[in-house]
Amino acid sequence: MNVYVAGTGMTKFGKHAESSIELSVEAAAKAMEDAGIAPEEIEELYVGNFAQNMFEGQAHPGPALYGSLGLKNNIKATHVESACASGGFALHEAFRAIKGGFAKTVMVVGVEKMTSRPTPEVTGILATAGDAFYEVPCGITFPGYFALMASYYLKNIGGTRDDLAEIAIKNHHHASKNPYAQFRKEITKDVYYGSPIIAEPLCLYDCSPISDGAAAMILTSEKKDVELASCEAAVSRMALAERREDISWLESAEIAGKRAYMVAGVTPEDIDVAEVHDCFTIAEVQNIEALGFYKHGEGIKAAKEKETYYDGKKPVNTDGGLKAKGHPVGATGVSMAIEVVKQIHNEAYNQVKGAEVGLISNMGGSGPSCVAGILRRS
Amino acid sequence: MNVYVAGTGMTKFGKHAESSIELSVEAAAKAMEDAGIAPEEIEELYVGNFAQNMFEGQAHPGPALYGSLGLKNNIKATHVESACASGGFALHEAFRAIKGGFAKTVMVVGVEKMTSRPTPEVTGILATAGDAFYEVPCGITFPGYFALMASYYLKNIGGTRDDLAEIAIKNHHHASKNPYAQFRKEITKDVYYGSPIIAEPLCLYDCSPISDGAAAMILTSEKKDVELASCEAAVSRMALAERREDISWLESAEIAGKRAYMVAGVTPEDIDVAEVHDCFTIAEVQNIEALGFYKHGEGIKAAKEKETYYDGKKPVNTDGGLKAKGHPVGATGVSMAIEVVKQIHNEAYNQVKGAEVGLISNMGGSGPSCVAGILRRS
């Protein structure tokens, strides 16, 4: 059974007064309208959410959401969590629900409402996605995790802070055209270097923001113009301390990507546009290397050389990426897939000419879980 | 593709010094030994867990667990949450992974480590599985949810506290023989009535305890002597206020049960032994009625009339149930399936003579999510 995209919808990412339920309703209603599908046609719901129990006091989002979304009573609704890859993992299970012949029309909603908590508390909540038994008790949180990987990369593999700045500049440039983005503004190198260091060598503009938002996608077995050709997952070691010698290499993204290429029958060269998990600028570099777009050590120059701009030879994060579009954790993976659908529909805000095949790489935590998916014109 | 049970393992339920990871390792190692399967043969891992992020500071259990379990690097590991039905929903997704032909050998680990937090805090964490937007802010927690349903039932449907006492007495009787149970002791009516009221009409002995524990099951497409013939899910309204007139009726259990019967091609009459979600004594009544074993209003007399004892005509919770075996939330659904496997293997501590077909009904929160599964001798 092939899997197609029937419709998509999302909220603007940023700071919202609304609850996770209300944000989900907005995204889902748009997706149903886009698909021309009534609520009662949806057979199953998968919710991608990281920690609404801590952000809002609401666990159990399957039953909490389905009624508000207007879906039919007694459908199946499942909550899938894999830190910042929660949306991607929900998409993966929904993909299988159709691929395996269990359902014909499945909705995926990714959502996170984060800004209701003060920033230090959010940082603490996010840190539960790290290694809670050994590393987090030593004081590490996510900027620290990625600072360690960035330091390793800059010291041993190559590149400079200036190369990271170029990634932030590119993604802000892309987001400036995206009405759904949290930061619709260009930045300059002066702005980048003028911002405070968060965790050496990463400064404020290397980091994705705290965001609220929801993104919804309806998958169907009925032929549509965009196919979700694969959606595969992999995990790798949680603790940085347990990784192989090069802590900057994202094994889960490499393996999930290889699985996604294999199932879809494509190669990295076939990818016209990619949405990859740039929770920090360095993570974009790590992803585009793990996914086979660049050799290890060469990905860091891609933005500086304008190759990953929407009009470059390997467009990456054309919606502004997590960096500038925003990163409402559970919604992120689904929003990546939505951008690729827009590109294939020739409706993107930074349109890649002739985009036919796109990839998403949605990563959890410091990289130990990843979902990679391929969407293409069918 | 049929789905079979290759092996099972669990920890004792109760208070443990070990972390969720260590408990999981114990259960998983036993399951692999029981199955005669090496860690490298496991292709995928599904983790059922409710709130380890709040209990222990560890979200993201997919990657957190797989390495410690000794599983092969870069497998797929997914965390599934649906409150107290998290284990059942994990089993459901694992069932589909094999049924849909995506994998041949899948491990399910259900786990919860709860006793590390003080009881009032645990009660608050559990309440995130309720309706966090309307009902929980009014002060309701789970004893309150089930007290409202019990009050409604006793007033409008039938029965007395004495009937509830009989359920507690039966489940403690069953648990007294189960070395994995948290409470291996019989209770009397004097003990029941002498215990404090927790939420009128429910007293201490109507409530399942706070527990630590893990349960693991390995599913396979290779023929074994026990088949997981179906594993189906349904959701219903979260808020009690939104339910149909009779708030004591568990719609999700009714529908999940009907789906499970249909997929397996059996009827309620075919079930030789059932493990149902008795987080409170009243919930056992609600389940056995929703599942079609008893008419509404008649389930409450079943324990008093000795029908639901292991040697009665409809054995229910032969391992002691959540009430006396214990209720480490994420582990519960998997442990139910393990008891049914033991019954079919003729190895149960309270053996039902000639048990061939068994059912599990694992419910989330106040009942808005449920997984029902049928296991049978193949």
Side-chain angles (χ1 to χ4, degrees):
Chain A
M1 198 78 78
N2 285 354
V3 182
Y4 300 96
V5 178
T8 67
M10 61 185 280
T11 66
K12 187 178 183 315
F13 284 2
K15 191 169 163 56
H16 286 281
E18 289 80 4
S19 72
S20 64
I21 304 281
E22 292 162 321
L23 294 169
S24 298
V25 168
E26 180 184 335
K30 285 178 177 170
M32 289 189 279
E33 191 185 344
D34 184 42
I37 280 180
E40 52 271 23
E41 294 175 66
I42 308 288
E43 296 165 48
E44 301 195 350
L45 170 67
Y46 281 87
V47 184
N49 176 260
F50 167 49
Q52 220 52 49
N53 60 346
M54 297 176 89
F55 285 124
E56 229 177 8
Q58 181 67 74
H60 212 186
L65 263 177
Y66 92 101
S68 302
L69 296 181
L71 306 186
K72 186 166 73 169
N73 205 12
N74 308 131
I75 63 161
K76 195 200 84 171
T78 308
H79 170 210
V80 178
E81 184 269 335
S82 199
C84 307
S86 296
F89 272 77
L91 199 62
H92 164 78
E93 295 294 334
F95 170 81
R96 282 192 168 186
I98 292 179
K99 195 84 181 166
F102 300 106
K104 291 201 168 89
T105 312
V106 177
M107 178 182 277
V108 184
V109 174
V111 64
E112 210 85 37
K113 163 76 182 176
M114 305 170 74
T115 66
S116 39
R117 302 285 177 184
T119 298
E121 204 180 310
V122 173
T123 303
I125 291 171
L126 290 171
T128 65
D131 175 38
F133 294 101
Y134 299 100
E135 293 179 340
V136 174
C138 300
I140 198 166
T141 60
F142 276 92
Y145 267 121
F146 281 90
L148 287 169
M149 292 187 267
S151 297
Y152 183 93
Y153 190 104
L154 298 185
K155 184 172 173 213
N156 300 292
I157 312 297
T160 62
R161 278 191 70 202
D162 217 56
D163 299 322
L164 297 178
E166 295 279 2
I167 295 164
I169 290 166
K170 168 185 71 81
N171 287 345
H172 273 272
H173 176 68
H174 285 162
S176 71
K177 308 265 179 54
N178 180 357
Y180 291 89
Q182 184 161 1
F183 299 131
R184 295 193 61 186
K185 59 174 186 186
E186 305 263 0
I187 61 162
T188 61
K189 269 201 194 155
D190 283 348
V191 169
Y192 177 90
Y193 283 111
S195 75
I197 290 286
I198 302 298
E200 177 84 37
L202 304 177
C203 67
L204 183 66
Y205 282 97
D206 288 301
C207 308
S208 59
I210 293 166
S211 318
D212 306 326
M217 178 168 277
I218 299 171
L219 301 178
T220 175
S221 56
E222 197 181 304
K223 191 159 189 321
K224 302 285 174 187
D225 62 352
V226 178
E227 182 191 4
L228 180 56
S230 62
C231 193
E232 309 302 314
V235 294
S236 58
R237 289 289 183 265
M238 189 74 155
L240 280 190
E242 282 187 291
R243 293 189 196 172
R244 60 184 196 172
E245 208 173 314
D246 179 352
I247 63 165
S248 74
W249 188 255
L250 294 179
E251 205 178 6
S252 68
E254 175 195 352
I255 304 297
K258 282 180 176 163
R259 288 180 184 152
Y261 293 137
M262 193 183 67
V263 172
V266 301
T267 68
E269 292 68 41
D270 296 322
I271 304 301
D272 299 319
V273 56
E275 287 283 305
V276 309
H277 201 92
D278 62 323
C279 46
F280 297 88
T281 47
I282 187 68
E284 178 168 310
V285 179
Q286 295 173 275
N287 265 281
I288 63 180
E289 294 180 351
L291 293 162
F293 300 157
Y294 288 90
K295 289 198 183 116
H296 198 25
E298 295 182 5
I300 195 153
K301 299 289 181 196
K304 180 172 267 177
E305 288 164 12
K306 310 289 182 206
E307 294 183 0
T308 46
Y309 277 74
Y310 75 96
D311 51 0
K313 73 175 199 186
K314 203 71 179 178
V316 173
N317 291 333
T318 50
D319 58 359
L322 284 58
K323 172 67 208 80
K325 178 184 55 177
H327 181 25
V329 173
T332 289
V334 182
S335 79
M336 290 174 162
I338 292 176
E339 173 65 9
V340 174
V341 171
K342 281 192 178 136
Q343 289 287 358
I344 296 172
H345 280 167
N346 206 28
E347 290 169 353
Y349 306 108
N350 296 291
Q351 182 61 45
V352 174
K353 276 193 192 147
E356 298 269 334
V357 183
L359 169 144
I360 67 162
S361 175
N362 179 207
M363 203 168 78
S366 58
S369 71
C370 189
V371 164
I374 308 283
L375 296 118
R376 66 179 161 213
R377 192 186 306 275
S378 65
Chain B
M1 198 77 78
N2 285 354
V3 183
Y4 300 95
V5 178
T8 67
M10 61 184 281
T11 66
K12 187 178 183 317
F13 284 3
K15 191 168 163 57
H16 286 281
E18 290 80 4
S19 72
S20 65
I21 304 281
E22 293 162 321
L23 294 169
S24 299
V25 168
E26 180 185 333
K30 286 178 176 171
M32 289 189 279
E33 192 186 341
D34 183 43
I37 280 179
E40 51 273 20
E41 295 174 64
I42 308 288
E43 295 166 48
E44 302 195 349
L45 170 67
Y46 282 86
V47 184
N49 176 260
F50 168 48
Q52 221 51 50
N53 60 347
M54 298 175 90
F55 285 123
E56 229 177 7
Q58 180 67 74
H60 212 186
L65 265 178
Y66 92 100
S68 302
L69 297 182
L71 306 185
K72 183 165 74 169
N73 205 13
N74 306 133
I75 62 162
K76 195 199 83 172
T78 308
H79 169 211
V80 177
E81 184 269 334
S82 198
C84 308
S86 296
F89 272 77
L91 199 62
H92 163 79
E93 295 294 334
F95 170 81
R96 282 192 169 185
I98 291 179
K99 195 83 183 167
F102 299 107
K104 290 199 170 89
T105 311
V106 177
M107 179 183 276
V108 185
V109 174
V111 64
E112 210 84 38
K113 163 74 181 176
M114 305 169 75
T115 66
S116 39
R117 302 284 178 185
T119 299
E121 204 181 310
V122 174
T123 303
I125 291 171
L126 290 170
T128 64
D131 175 39
F133 294 102
Y134 299 100
E135 294 179 338
V136 175
C138 300
I140 199 166
T141 60
F142 277 93
Y145 267 122
F146 281 91
L148 287 168
M149 292 187 267
S151 298
Y152 183 93
Y153 190 103
L154 298 186
K155 185 175 173 211
N156 300 291
I157 312 298
T160 61
R161 278 190 70 201
D162 217 56
D163 300 322
L164 297 178
E166 295 279 2
I167 296 165
I169 290 167
K170 167 184 72 84
N171 287 344
H172 273 272
H173 176 68
H174 285 161
S176 70
K177 309 267 180 52
N178 180 357
Y180 291 89
Q182 185 160 0
F183 299 131
R184 294 192 64 188
K185 59 172 184 187
E186 305 265 0
I187 60 161
T188 61
K189 268 200 196 159
D190 282 350
V191 169
Y192 178 90
Y193 283 112
S195 76
I197 289 288
I198 301 299
E200 175 84 36
L202 304 176
C203 67
L204 184 65
Y205 282 96
D206 288 301
C207 309
S208 59
I210 292 166
S211 319
D212 305 327
M217 179 170 274
I218 300 172
L219 300 178
T220 174
S221 57
E222 198 179 303
K223 190 155 188 328
K224 301 285 174 188
D225 62 352
V226 178
E227 182 190 3
L228 180 57
S230 62
C231 194
E232 309 302 314
V235 294
S236 58
R237 289 291 184 264
M238 190 75 155
L240 280 191
E242 282 187 291
R243 293 189 195 172
R244 62 183 193 172
E245 208 173 313
D246 179 353
I247 62 165
S248 73
W249 189 254
L250 293 179
E251 205 178 7
S252 68
E254 176 195 350
I255 304 298
K258 283 180 175 163
R259 287 179 185 153
Y261 293 137
M262 193 183 68
V263 172
V266 300
T267 68
E269 291 69 40
D270 296 323
I271 303 301
D272 299 318
V273 57
E275 287 284 306
V276 309
H277 201 93
D278 62 322
C279 46
F280 297 87
T281 48
I282 187 68
E284 178 169 309
V285 178
Q286 294 173 277
N287 266 281
I288 62 179
E289 294 181 351
L291 294 162
F293 300 157
Y294 288 90
K295 289 198 183 113
H296 198 24
E298 295 181 5
I300 194 151
K301 299 289 180 197
K304 181 172 268 177
E305 290 165 9
K306 311 291 182 204
E307 294 183 358
T308 45
Y309 277 75
Y310 75 97
D311 52 359
K313 71 176 201 185
K314 204 69 180 180
V316 173
N317 291 333
T318 51
D319 59 358
L322 285 58
K323 173 66 206 82
K325 177 185 56 181
H327 181 27
V329 171
T332 290
V334 183
S335 78
M336 289 174 163
I338 292 177
E339 172 65 9
V340 174
V341 171
K342 281 192 179 136
Q343 289 287 358
I344 297 172
H345 280 166
N346 206 29
E347 291 170 352
Y349 306 108
N350 295 291
Q351 182 62 44
V352 174
K353 275 193 192 143
E356 298 270 333
V357 184
L359 169 145
I360 67 162
S361 176
N362 180 209
M363 205 168 77
S366 58
S369 70
C370 190
V371 165
I374 309 282
L375 296 118
R376 67 180 161 211
R377 193 186 306 275
S378 65

